[in-house]
Amino acid sequence: MAPIHQEKHLKSSAFISDIVIGMSDGLTVPFALAAGLSGAVQNNAIIITAGLAEIVAGCIAMGLGGYLAGKTEQEHYQSEKRREYNEVENFREQEIQEVKEIFAEYGIDEQGQTILANQLAKDKTKWVDFMMKFELGLEEPDINRARNSALTIGIAYCVGGLLPLSAYFLTSKPQHGLLLSAVITTFCLFIFGYFKSKVTGQPPLKGAIKVTAIGLIAAAAAFSIARLIS
């Protein structure tokens, strides 16, 4: 009996990408800010206030960026689709030739190319969809992509930012908060990097180390500059 083949493909790449963008920045930027302030002030309240303000601003900025990126993707797709409809309407023979060239790249002979191209050209909607995907390499974006992207990135940033900042709620001095924040953030960066790499098909351990190193380097740079200035 032949073994059952189960295909495993990542189908929610946009959602995963948004979480990665929001969470990675959320863990890194507020941690670096708090670390920098820890080298310049002697009061946790200042760090908490600045950290919360940064998280709110970051959520809005990152969420808005995700929304605008999603809207731009939709507008670009619709613009190209209108152009493609115009081309199949007014330059039919040239577009049929382009279809044949696409099939030729897959090893289909001249006769097969002609049959397939003529069959496809009978349905203008399917013809345009085919050209959008195989000529331009564009997939139609989800109509809710902009909204979902904004929410996902914003929430992920907020969650990521609150993790390193939480250490300053639990301690009385910036130095103690920094040490606890470093432990929490290092752990979270490692776990986040590990699962992000695992989901995206990359070496998990290597990805975890890379993500952790980037976050710690950013925080160390911010702390050193604030310490130097103060």
Side-chain angles (χ1 to χ4, degrees):
M1 181 178 178
I4 298 175
H5 173 59
Q6 294 182 341
E7 295 190 12
K8 297 180 180 179
H9 298 288
L10 183 63
K11 297 183 179 181
S12 56
S13 58
F15 177 70
I16 297 298
S17 176
D18 289 341
I19 290 180
V20 169
I21 291 170
M23 185 66 75
S24 59
D25 280 8
L27 282 169
T28 304
V29 178
F31 176 47
L33 172 66
L37 290 174
S38 296
V41 303
Q42 300 298 320
N43 191 330
N44 275 11
I46 298 176
I47 298 174
I48 291 171
T49 301
L52 289 175
E54 194 286 325
I55 290 172
V56 171
C59 284
I60 295 173
M62 296 288 290
L64 181 60
Y67 180 83
L68 293 176
K71 291 297 291 184
T72 299
E73 184 181 1
Q74 291 174 1
E75 291 167 359
H76 173 63
Y77 184 87
Q78 293 303 324
S79 174
E80 290 297 327
K81 193 169 188 177
R82 287 192 296 270
R83 183 179 291 117
E84 200 62 45
Y85 266 110
N86 178 66
E87 289 177 354
V88 300
E89 182 72 33
N90 298 305
F91 304 97
R92 179 182 176 87
E93 293 305 317
Q94 292 94 320
E95 290 297 300
I96 288 179
Q97 183 58 39
E98 289 180 2
V99 173
K100 293 171 68 175
E101 290 173 359
I102 291 171
F103 284 128
E105 293 178 359
Y106 288 89
I108 298 175
D109 60 26
E110 181 70 27
Q111 183 179 5
Q113 295 169 26
T114 301
I115 293 173
L116 291 171
N118 289 334
Q119 287 294 318
L120 186 62
K122 291 180 180 180
D123 189 324
K124 190 180 296 183
T125 299
K126 288 185 173 59
W127 187 6
V128 169
D129 289 342
F130 176 87
M131 298 302 284
M132 291 294 291
K133 183 174 182 179
F134 291 96
E135 181 191 19
L136 302 180
L138 296 176
E139 295 281 354
E140 184 170 10
D142 184 349
I143 192 172
N144 298 317
R145 167 68 176 146
R147 181 200 64 192
N148 294 343
S149 180
L151 289 174
T152 303
I153 292 176
I155 292 172
Y157 188 94
C158 182
V159 172
L162 288 174
L163 288 171
L165 192 62
S166 64
Y168 294 89
F169 287 94
L170 304 174
T171 56
S172 57
K173 295 182 179 181
Q175 292 76 14
H176 298 161
L178 176 59
L179 290 175
L180 181 57
S181 181
V183 172
I184 293 173
T185 305
T186 301
F187 176 77
C188 291
L189 283 169
F190 188 88
I191 297 299
F192 168 69
Y194 183 89
F195 283 104
K196 183 208 76 170
S197 301
K198 192 174 181 66
V199 168
T200 55
Q202 305 299 315
L205 185 58
K206 182 179 179 180
I209 293 173
K210 182 168 65 175
V211 169
T212 304
I214 292 172
L216 294 181
I217 289 171
F223 177 81
S224 298
I225 292 173
R227 192 75 171 181
L228 182 64
I229 294 174
S230 64

